[in-house]
Structure formats: structure tokens, C-alpha cells
């Protein structure tokens, strides 16, 4: 569809390289071991730690998030799940990638049946 995938992981640089090499991943990985990027995107804060609010999370991690940027670096779609209550929507994300690639506006104006 003309997009590039970048997955940001909360892991050391060494572990990220080993992960990418072991699984021969066809996309880019970026190590964010100290959550510097996650803090800039507002999906990580020590003050509102996920592991204190969400059962089953035992580590200090950022919230899961998906962003689609256009060719000019502008965010045209985002989905942040701070409560782990909204499943990831591949349909929404791929629609945003297609729209960004073809330089047409994108908005989610429907809701999927559960």
C-alpha cells in the first residue's frame, strides 16, 4: 500500500537486534528502552503506571498505540488504548495508510460491530 512499518519496543538495543535477527522481521524495529519516545507521544508516564491499573501487567510499560503518518510527517491517524479496552483495528489502520499514501483525508465515521 506504499507504507512502511516501524515497531517501537521497550527493550534494550542488544535485545532488539537479536529479536530482529532471530525472526528475520520484514519491518523496522526501534528500541526505546527508557521510554523516551513513548513519553513524547504521551503513552508512558510513571505517575499513571499501567501495571498499577491493569490486571496482568507486571512491568512498567507504555500503553499500546498505533500511529499513521503521511509523507510530510503529520499524524493522520492514531489509536491509543490506555485502558486495554479497545482492540486494535487493522481495518482502521490500513484505511489510514491507504489515505495517507494517496493524499486523501481519512476519518473513522463508523463503528464496527463487536
Amino acid at each position: 500500500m506504499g507504507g512502511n512499518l516501524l515497531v517501537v519496543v521497550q527493550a534494550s538495543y542488544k535485545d532488539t537486534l537479536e529479536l530482529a535477527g532471530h525472526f528475520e522481521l520484514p519491518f523496522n524495529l526501534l528500541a526505546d528502552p527508557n521510554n523516551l519516545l513513548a513519553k513524547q507521544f504521551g503513552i508512558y508516564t510513571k505517575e499513571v503506571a499501567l501495571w498499577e491499573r491493569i490486571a496482568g501487567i507486571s512491568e512498567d510499560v507504555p500503553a499500546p498505540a498505533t500511529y499513521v503518518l503521511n509523507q510530510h510527517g503529520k499524524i493522520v491517524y492514531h489509536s491509543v488504548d490506555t485502558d486495554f479496552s479497545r482492540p486494535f483495528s487493522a481495518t482502521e489502520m490500513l484505511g489510514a495508510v491507504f489515505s495517507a499514501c494517496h493524499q486523501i483525508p481519512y476519518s473513522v465515521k463508523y463503528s464496527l460491530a463487536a
Side-chain angles (χ1 to χ4, degrees), residues 11-21 31 33:
S12 70
Y13 300 107
K14 179 182 178 240
D15 289 346
T16 302
L17 284 172
E18 287 178 12
L19 176 71

Side-chain angles (χ1 to χ4, degrees), residues 13-76:
Y13 300 107
K14 179 182 178 240
D15 289 346
T16 302
L17 284 172
E18 287 178 12
L19 176 71
H22 178 75
F23 290 104
E24 299 178 9
L25 299 174
F27 52 83
N28 298 308
L29 284 178
L30 176 69
D32 189 23
N34 299 313
N35 294 307
L36 299 177
L37 185 60
K39 287 176 189 172
Q40 290 178 0
F41 275 88
I43 58 172
Y44 174 82
T45 175
K46 279 202 174 281
E47 291 77 34
V48 188
L50 289 179
W51 61 272
E52 292 179 346
R53 299 184 302 111
I54 309 294
I57 295 179
S58 59
E59 295 184 29
D60 195 12
V61 296
T66 304
Y67 298 91
V68 175
L69 286 68
N70 65 15
Q71 296 90 336
H72 307 290
K74 179 182 176 193
I75 296 173
V76 296

